[in-house]
Amino acid sequence: MHQRGADEIRLLAKNDLTCGVSVVGACSVRHRTEACPRFVWNRSLLSMKCTTMALLPSTSEYDLHRFHNAVARAAQVRSHFDAMVWLQGDMQHYLPHAILIAAWGNFEKGKLSHDIISPLVGVRSHNSCPDAILPMLLHMFTRWSEFGGTPFVINAGVDGFSLQDATPNSQLKDALGTMRCVLVHGMRDERGSQDCLYLAFSDIPTFSPSQRSAMAKVLPYIDASLRQVALLPHQTQPGPLTDDPKVPQQMLESSLSDREEEVLQWVALGKTNSEIGRILTISEFTIKSHLRNIFKKLNVSNRAQAVGKVTALTSYA
């Protein structure tokens, strides 16, 4: 790293006002085409080998197949639920995180929309306060631009991250307080004014160099997958969704509680009742009780039907 870059990182580590105590990464400015490889869903394993050499511990046939299968599933994402299942499943091997915040729009004018994808209870886009998130997003975008548009990490340590002007009972605020680091990367929109920024928060001590490299490699797939997801009602002009008579009433008035939604997310990830109980630190009996309530509310009789129905409803939305 050249001296000026090192001085900038030391300055950020000392004076960063958002929430971090140290900033790492952004060690060199890569050419844009390296950070954003050409996006082709049906890329062969042979052509993918060059793209993944810096990402995978080896280029064995198994590793190449594993990476190919992970990114190929991005083509199947049609809803926020699909995105959550994919990101918390296969992609955790390459990008371990508990909260992903995606922001897009005109960062120069501060006109942004955002999505929050997380398995944590209550940590959802519609529960978040845009005014509280906006300063953090603008700050991170500025830092990313200063680092030449390359991935960088902010380590917050045991103090976690905080939001300015967030409501006291904000579940996102509470969750960010338990995160220890964030990996930041973005996508420039050279044809319009819809730049994108992605913040992957984790409770691990820090992201490794290989994980920072992974962010650069997998972000085009994440970005393309989320472009297939319809905007939520609060991200669009009011009126069209609720005025559409074809929209099912149960989709407009979601009856699942936060805990039931969380249980169903782990069901979609293939976890058994006992595994979900250990993850959520509640009894297997309580898990079964939640599932009975879910089946009744969704008018289904088993786990597969419940996951399928929620996926269909969120895909429609």
Side-chain angles (χ1 to χ4, degrees), residues 48 83 95 127 201 223 260 290:
M48 183 176 287
L95 186 63
N127 289 340
F201 290 90
D223 183 76
E260 290 166 350
H290 284 312

Side-chain angles (χ1 to χ4, degrees), residues 52-276:
T52 58
M53 284 188 66
L55 170 60
L56 302 177
S58 70
T59 53
S60 67
E61 184 176 353
Y62 171 79
D63 288 328
L64 291 172
H65 274 289
R66 183 176 187 178
F67 180 75
H68 177 269
N69 290 336
V71 298
R73 289 190 176 94
Q76 303 170 10
V77 172
R78 291 295 182 274
S79 69
H80 289 84
F81 187 78
D82 292 340
M84 189 283 300
V85 172
W86 174 55
L87 291 171
Q88 291 298 313
D90 299 330
M91 294 304 294
Q92 286 291 308
H93 177 73
Y94 305 102
L95 186 63
H97 67 281
I99 302 171
L100 180 71
I101 299 180
W104 66 94
N106 192 318
F107 284 84
E108 291 185 2
K109 296 182 178 180
K111 296 181 178 180
L112 305 178
S113 297
H114 73 274
D115 267 332
I116 300 175
I117 301 175
S118 172
L120 301 180
V121 61
V123 181
R124 303 290 181 269
S125 300
H126 64 272
N127 289 340
S128 61
C129 176
D131 291 338
I133 297 177
L134 183 60
M136 177 180 66
L137 295 175
L138 295 177
H139 177 83
M140 295 293 190
F141 186 81
T142 299
R143 293 293 178 261
W144 178 70
S145 299
E146 291 173 348
F147 286 145
T150 56
F152 71 93
V153 176
I154 292 181
N155 296 321
V158 296
D159 295 331
F161 295 84
S162 63
L163 290 178
Q164 298 177 2
D165 302 324
T167 56
N169 59 348
S170 168
Q171 290 166 304
L172 175 61
K173 177 182 178 181
D174 294 341
L176 289 178
T178 66
M179 299 295 107
R180 299 294 174 257
C181 59
V182 60
L183 178 54
V184 182
H185 195 26
M187 301 280 289
R188 290 284 189 184
D189 181 7
E190 301 295 347
R191 297 186 175 184
S193 58
Q194 295 288 314
D195 292 333
C196 298
L197 189 72
Y198 292 84
L199 285 67
F201 290 90
S202 179
D203 56 5
I204 62 178
T206 189
F207 286 96
S208 68
S210 63
Q211 288 164 343
R212 295 201 299 272
S213 175
M215 181 62 146
K217 300 300 186 296
V218 302
L219 187 60
Y221 299 95
I222 296 174
D223 183 76
S225 70
L226 292 182
R227 291 178 185 271
Q228 302 176 123
V229 177
L231 296 175
L232 295 171
H234 73 278
Q235 296 168 336
T236 60
Q237 295 296 324
L241 182 61
T242 54
D243 290 343
D244 187 349
K246 296 181 294 183
V247 177
Q249 183 66 23
Q250 66 263 41
M251 187 176 68
L252 300 178
E253 299 176 1
S254 177
S255 59
L256 296 183
S257 68
D258 287 340
R259 178 61 86 180
E260 290 166 350
E261 184 180 344
E262 190 177 21
V263 169
L264 190 56
Q265 288 173 348
W266 288 114
V267 169
L269 288 171
K271 301 297 183 182
T272 65
N273 289 350
S274 59
E275 289 173 333
I276 298 172

